[in-house]
Amino acid sequence: MSTRESTAHRRAVAQRDALLRAMLGPVLCTAPGELRVLNPYWGDLGARFAWNNASFPPGGVEAFGGDVPEDLAALLIELFENAVPEPNQVVTALARHAPCEAVDLLWMLATERATAQEADVLAGMGAEAAALAERAAMGQASNWPADAADDDEFLVRLMGELTVGRAETVPTQETFGGRPGGRRMAVLRLREALGRLTMAAPRGGASAVRLAVRRPAHAAGTQFIGDVLAYFRQREELGAGAPIAVRVADALDEGARLRSSADPWLVVIAHSMGGNIVYDLLSYLRPDLGCDVLVTVGSQVGLFAELGQFPALPAPEDPAHDRAPVPEGVRNWINVFDPVDILSFVISPIFAAGEDYRYSTGRGLLAAHSSYFRLPSFHRRLAERIAALLPAERHV
């Protein structure tokens, strides 16, 4: 395993898979628990920095210290426009005017350090919490605890409304810290999230915080540029045999092979550069592949099409009217972008089919780019859109 596939990356994948199963399982499968999720990790085949990213400018603002991510303080400043509430009322303040944002923030932090088992329980709880928050946003949830005095009371009352894991059986042998993966541990993760918010809320001014987070933003940006260059260099030299292309294509082949009467649909969800890779495969390198729904999230397919990076797409004679064809194997295409995400682009002015949907992560600049799959509301809305596209009849 490469150093890039870190513990944080594995946890993020576990969280994403758990949320996908919780939200998409009932939409895509005829039997509970039948949704298979494949994750072709290709980062170890992408960009490598010969001097270990030493090109980052030296100096900068001194780190805050502690184990609170520097970008969490910046996130709170962006959410509250520099008027951050009292440290123990951050989630409660959000819950009053933006219920879905409150759930997303709490679950995003809780799942960062969760094990795979805990992520499964948190995902189920998050699905319930997201549904309750959406009803509250429409004024249809009298049991939404927006009148809680502080974040601790808010969490206690919210947990009282969620049924996932409530009927846990008592283990025959007590484990230190609670049963791994159970509701108790999931609630502890949520309480940890409240603690991190309390620590981050009173920290420095907006300008200092934004300077402090330059390094993670720089790292994300340079990694993205490096992966773009690595992929297209491989594609130019080796075509369909390029290592990244082969790894992703193998996962698409496997997904098609795993179709069953209980799990009949092949849905491909591609984030960022992954969208470009999947489109390049389906349109040029492996046009024999296909899917029922292609979902590109925070991706650059439209931009790279305009730049002539896809061999399957000729330049338009009349850009005002000509539209590029969608790969024959793609039955439906959803493209999701956040207007704040500087790495996300639309497709509808470029391609003959496919729908653009705007989704606000509530994060800023590069933070938005990595936040989509950490938010329960995103998965809930994705499930609704996919369900609307798939026909009533099932096929294998």
Side-chain angles (χ1 to χ4, degrees):
M1 179 179 295
S2 71
T3 55
R4 285 180 56 196
E5 195 172 9
S6 61
T7 300
H9 170 81
R10 293 195 299 273
R11 284 176 172 167
V13 169
Q15 173 202 359
R16 180 183 62 194
D17 289 358
L19 284 168
L20 285 171
R21 284 190 292 267
M23 302 289 188
L24 297 181
V27 171
L28 301 177
C29 297
T30 59
E34 288 295 327
L35 179 65
R36 269 78 57 92
V37 180
L38 304 177
N39 282 300
Y41 176 74
W42 53 269
D44 56 320
L45 304 175
R48 297 179 183 275
F49 295 90
W51 280 270
N52 298 318
N53 216 351
S55 57
F56 180 79
V61 177
E62 181 181 356
F64 285 120
D67 64 349
V68 178
E70 294 163 346
D71 59 348
L72 179 54
L75 169 59
L76 295 181
I77 287 172
E78 290 176 357
L79 286 175
F80 292 99
E81 298 181 351
N82 297 329
V84 181
E86 291 298 315
N88 64 341
Q89 295 179 354
V90 173
V91 178
T92 307
L94 272 178
R96 293 192 181 106
H97 72 272
C100 295
E101 190 75 74
V103 169
D104 283 344
L105 176 64
L106 194 53
W107 259 258
M108 180 183 73
L109 296 177
T111 51
E112 275 187 352
R113 301 176 181 180
T115 65
Q117 287 178 306
E118 292 164 356
D120 277 330
V121 179
L122 282 165
M125 297 169 74
E128 283 192 77
L132 178 61
E134 285 195 3
R135 294 196 299 273
M138 296 183 290
Q140 299 173 358
S142 58
N143 54 339
W144 177 250
D147 60 342
D150 55 34
D151 289 351
D152 288 328
E153 181 185 339
F154 174 85
L155 182 59
V156 169
R157 290 171 58 183
L158 179 62
M159 291 301 99
E161 301 296 332
L162 307 183
T163 62
V164 171
R166 186 180 290 171
E168 287 179 356
T169 57
V170 178
T172 56
Q173 183 176 4
E174 187 68 19
T175 57
F176 185 73
R179 184 163 64 87
R183 180 180 170 106
R184 280 187 294 171
M185 291 304 298
V187 173
L188 284 177
R189 292 298 184 190
L190 291 165
R191 291 195 179 282
E192 282 183 7
L194 290 184
R196 295 172 68 193
L197 287 170
T198 298
M199 293 177 65
R203 294 172 178 259
S207 60
V209 170
R210 288 181 178 129
L211 284 173
V213 300
R214 180 180 174 184
R215 181 169 290 277
H218 165 90
T222 53
Q223 192 68 65
F224 171 76
I225 294 170
D227 285 340
V228 171
L229 296 174
Y231 172 75
F232 284 111
R233 182 174 62 250
Q234 289 183 19
R235 199 270 310 272
E236 181 179 353
E237 295 175 353
L238 300 171
I244 295 175
V246 168
R247 185 167 295 179
V248 178
D250 284 350
L252 294 173
D253 272 326
E254 178 71 0
R257 188 187 67 80
L258 288 174
R259 289 176 185 268
S260 67
S261 58
D263 184 12
W265 307 115
L266 178 56
V267 176
V268 177
I269 302 175
H271 176 242
S272 191
M273 185 60 194
N276 304 312
I277 296 169
V278 169
Y279 176 81
D280 204 24
L281 284 167
L282 300 182
S283 67
Y284 175 64
L285 296 176
R286 288 288 308 274
D288 57 303
L289 298 172
C291 59
D292 295 292
V293 183
L294 170 62
V295 183
T296 47
V297 182
S299 196
Q300 308 83 36
V301 179
L303 172 66
F304 284 4
E306 289 204 85
L307 295 175
Q309 296 303 305
F310 298 125
L313 295 184
E317 294 183 4
D318 181 3
H321 297 95
D322 292 350
R323 295 293 178 265
V326 172
E328 292 184 4
V330 177
R331 296 180 62 190
N332 301 279
W333 188 357
I334 295 172
N335 182 66
V336 184
F337 71 98
D338 184 338
V340 178
D341 177 6
I342 62 175
L343 295 178
S344 65
F345 296 83
V346 297
I347 60 169
S348 56
I350 310 296
F351 292 92
E355 294 292 332
D356 289 312
Y357 292 99
R358 183 179 63 190
Y359 173 80
S360 176
T361 63
R363 314 301 178 249
L365 299 177
L366 287 176
H369 189 63
S370 61
S371 295
Y372 298 92
F373 295 100
R374 300 168 67 186
L375 309 176
S377 64
F378 172 82
H379 291 268
R380 180 172 172 79
R381 291 167 194 173
L382 179 60
E384 293 171 351
R385 294 295 182 185
I386 291 176
L389 288 175
L390 296 175
E393 68 275 9
R394 308 260 176 173
H395 66 271
V396 180

